[in-house]
Amino acid sequence: MIPAAFPRSVAIALLRFAIWIAPHDSHDWGHAMLNELNHVEGNWSALIWSLGGAGVLAKHAVLAFIFPGTHRRTVTTASELFDKEGPMRKTTVAAICACVVASLLFFLLPVFRQAFRVSLAQWHDVLHVGLTLGYLDSDPELDALTKKAEQNHDAEALAFVAVRARNQAESARLADEAVHLDPKLTWIYAVVAVSWPSLPEIDRWVLALEAWDPQNALPHFIVAEKIDIDQVIREKIPHHVDEQPASWQNAMAAAFQSSKLDNYLGRLKDLDRRVFLRYHLDDPFQVSGEDGWYGLPTYASADSSSYAKSLLESGQTLEVRNDRKGAFEKYLAVARFGQMMSPAGGFFLRRELQEAYKRLEALSQGEGNQAAASFYAAVANQADRAHYEALNSLRNRVTGSGVSHWNASLVKTSGLANLVCCGILLTCMLGVIVRGRTLRPSALYPSSLTLGLGFGAAAGALVSSSVLFVSYRPYSEILQRFIHSGDDDGLSELASFLADAQLPLGTQNFLGSWNVVFYFWSAVTVLCVLVVLIAVVRHFQTRPRATAA
Amino acid sequence: MKTPRLSPQTLRVLERFLEQPTAWRYGYELSRETGLKSGTLYPILMRLAKYSLLETKWVTTEDGVPPRHTYRLTPNGVELVRATFANSRATLKARRPAFSGGRA
């Protein structure tokens, strides 16, 4: 329990501290307030008295720090006396208005509007508690596009939203609708199936994909992926290829016998561009949406290495049996499939590919075919270089460049500064209006501090808007180049920048953003409690009394 | 001459001083009479004193109790404020006070 005199003791200590930090010419006033404390009735009233006085002295301390050497002077006329309290000073107000108008003018630029939306992305996970807790969330822009696409019977737009839908049933429905309208879009089944590998529609889709593009290995990978995921869910993961079910082995065998591996990302990018142009979309997050794991099923791609190993082992067995032709075919199957995987995910099969070329080289040398042996050695070398290039590209995509990190931080900081400045400006305006109880500018009486704060906030809004615009502009150009000319050179840089822009300021990864969510909502709760407490205290303080003092 | 404008809070303080122009007033007493908090009242007093419209004095009221700071308008202050009131009273009367929940 708090002792009754505790608030008064705090009040005295607070005022003494305020006197200590106050400029010398305010000490008399500080002592005046301190000595009046002896006559203030009630301990809590004394504390409130002290808080007000300390605030005044603190303000003087700050002003003395910023504007040292101010002098006392005397006045002789009434107008000079009240200059300090005259209506808002025109120069300052004009400067504030100019800054605000200039900041607002930025919003006329589509690039700036886009930049502002990107700067707000860091708050998405913090404010959307449902999404943070793992619930499905909808995207109003995508929902609107879905409605338009369905009204227009636009198969490409339906395919566009099918790839981005956050609900797997909805994604499957939209993909079916798109293919029903335009069978040429059957490939969208593969893209959606890679994103949602446990869909019940996958068996039907695989048949359609095999009929539409029979040479592609991807449908077989999708079948293997579904089996892999089922094994993971049931916690019955085979340790060797021989333990895999026949359906998995058949799918892998069919994939390794296929003549191509197309993840359809090229087609998807072209479709994206057409939909972006047709519906005047400008959300950069929708472009990088498909820029995931090379568009290949993850488990099946990783398991292709086990299957390749088993092929190499069976090739060795055939070699021992002197079946050189059979062994050659096994090694060649691994080498061919490894080459097909290279552009999409060659790192999965790097060792097996190198091993296959070594065996092919050795077999050719054994047969006295030096030209073929040299050829396989050269191809192995080339494949190794391609592997490192793919690995570097992946590393860049995952970690991003220093420039994109820096620019994302600038965009996030300037966006946040912009919001804070607008908040301060609005608070100052509301404070002045509430104090004056009028909207007439000539009758408003802002203090020097309010004017200073207002000007600082307006200037801050202008500077942060400029920084936001300049930092984001290069990424807007990348987006426009891609949409209008199909140039996808900077897309990985854009994806890296957007990935960083989504992380709350001050966090390095998505794990940290959970802490931000916690601290943000804790701070909001504490502030709400404080506001309620202040409101209750003010209510009792300002309640009319029966008798005037 | 330019008509000076007053904040409603300053007006309340000056009105209290004008009721008894020669009397010395305490800060807490003024706070109770005007309903202004210390954070609002003292900047007004400081500004008035800064422009030599208010004179201040330390007085000892009883033994063992620290002296109190007291205030009253200077003759110059009384004259200037009266002149100002004469010009602006009509306008000011039409305006509602900024805070109507005071104790006074």
Side-chain angles (χ1 to χ4, degrees), chain A residues 319-491:
Chain A
E319 258 191 277
V320 172
R321 289 180 194 159
N322 230 3
D323 182 358
R324 285 173 170 268
K325 194 184 169 192
F328 190 85
E329 279 174 8
K330 297 279 181 193
Y331 299 150
L332 201 60
V334 174
R336 203 182 64 234
F337 194 77
Q339 288 287 6
M340 285 197 314
M341 284 274 283
S342 289
F347 40 85
F348 284 118
L349 282 177
R350 186 205 159 224
R351 283 181 191 166
E352 290 73 21
L353 183 63
Q354 290 297 316
E355 187 65 27
Y357 279 127
K358 269 185 198 169
R359 302 262 171 90
L360 286 168
E361 187 187 346
L363 271 180
S364 301
Q365 276 176 340
E367 287 171 356
N369 189 345
Q370 284 303 324
S374 305
F375 169 75
Y376 288 125
V379 175
N381 197 23
Q382 196 182 20
D384 211 33
R385 279 204 306 273
H387 157 77
Y388 282 111
E389 279 170 19
L391 206 62
N392 282 335
S393 165
L394 175 70
R395 194 174 291 125
N396 287 339
R397 286 160 72 133
V398 172
T399 59
S401 70
V403 177
S404 66
H405 284 310
W406 171 246
N407 279 338
S409 298
L410 271 181
V411 164
K412 287 189 285 188
T413 311
S414 50
L416 186 62
N418 207 310
L419 288 177
V420 170
C421 289
C422 290
I424 293 173
L425 199 58
L426 279 174
T427 309
C428 290
M429 279 170 61
L430 280 174
V432 171
I433 290 168
V434 168
R435 272 174 66 105
R437 298 232 168 169
T438 177
L439 287 172
R440 277 190 306 121
S442 60
L444 295 175
Y445 301 88
S447 65
S448 301
L449 192 65
T450 310
L451 275 179
L453 267 177
F455 178 71
L462 181 59
V463 171
S464 56
S465 297
S466 311
V467 172
L468 182 58
F469 179 75
V470 171
S471 315
Y472 181 73
R473 195 179 160 79
Y475 300 98
S476 168
E477 283 172 0
I478 290 173
L479 179 66
Q480 293 308 316
R481 272 206 310 272
F482 167 68
I483 293 172
H484 292 103
S485 67
D487 178 3
D488 60 358
D489 259 3
L491 277 191

Side-chain angles (χ1 to χ4, degrees), chain A residues 91-127:
Chain A
T91 318
T92 315
V93 175
I96 291 174
C97 289
C99 289
V100 170
V101 169
S103 302
L104 290 175
L105 280 177
F106 271 104
F107 278 92
L108 294 178
L109 303 168
V111 175
F112 183 79
R113 290 200 298 273
Q114 210 175 82
F116 192 69
R117 279 207 305 273
V118 169
S119 78
L120 296 179
Q122 59 177 319
W123 297 102
H124 187 269
D125 283 358
V126 177
L127 299 176

Side-chain angles (χ1 to χ4, degrees), chain A residues 259-275:
Chain A
S259 59
K260 68 171 184 180
L261 177 62
D262 187 355
N263 53 18
Y264 302 121
L265 287 189
R267 286 171 187 263
L268 186 63
K269 279 184 181 172
D270 289 341
L271 181 138
D272 281 356
R273 285 182 51 220
R274 289 193 293 274
V275 174

Side-chain angles (χ1 to χ4, degrees), chain A residues 35-36 49 73 82 85, chain B residues 6 38 47 50 53 67-68:
Chain A
N35 292 356
E36 284 297 295
W49 175 270
R73 64 191 185 92
F82 292 109
E85 292 190 3
Chain B
L6 298 162
S38 58
R47 199 178 301 128
K50 183 179 174 184
L53 290 169
R68 296 181 77 176

